[in-house]
Amino acid sequence: MTEQQPQPQPQPQEGGLTTRPPHSPHPAHRHADWMFGGVYGTVLASALIAALHQDGEDFTPFYDASWVLVTAATAGLAHGYAHHMASHREGSGRRRWRLLARALWDEWPLVVATLPTVLLLAAAGLGDWDAYDVTAGGLGLNTALLFGWGALVALRVGHRLGRALLFGLADAAIGLAIIAANALIK
């Protein structure tokens, strides 16, 4: 029988607030954290590629690619800053700035995950591709990427292959929901 390790208790702070004690997650879960950014960025890119082009309007793939990147960077900054503020701890100003920089840096996977969509839009601009085909192709590509992210994260944190594939299908369902929403809205 294995003995369970005691969990650190939240520390009381001024004003009745508590903070979580620092901890080092299991290495597989640290990798899952950056993979989380991959899923989040891919969902964001899917929603943006679906929303940016409207039927009857000029297709502006370079403009759309710019907005995908700007939105991903802004979301990453906001997400990192929110994490920093939610886990704010006492310490010197220099330490707090270092922790903020680290929280912001940890959001890089969100931005990187939008790059397949950005590259697709850039290629569409260079190749003068049809807007409908680019949108459909981007949504299909991102749905496949979501499946891959879901399965990879599940395998990385210790699930067996069959269960990991189910997690991949669950993530892909988010992509399918965006495709359905795009069809219904347009």
Side-chain angles (χ1 to χ4, degrees), residues 23-41 79 83 102-103 105-111 113 149 152-154 156-157:
H23 66 285
S24 60
H26 186 274
H29 290 260
R30 274 187 301 229
H31 292 292
D33 288 344
W34 69 260
M35 291 180 206
F36 164 80
V39 171
Y40 187 47
H79 196 248
H83 271 284
R102 175 62 189 236
W105 174 252
D106 286 345
E107 297 300 322
W108 69 266
L110 186 154
V111 177
W149 278 119
L152 184 62
V153 169
R156 190 68 185 180
V157 298

Side-chain angles (χ1 to χ4, degrees), residues 90-110:
E90 292 296 319
S92 68
R94 184 180 190 144
R95 182 172 183 271
R96 285 189 300 241
W97 281 108
R98 194 173 61 246
L99 290 172
L100 174 60
R102 175 62 189 236
L104 296 176
W105 174 252
D106 286 345
E107 297 300 322
W108 69 266
L110 186 154

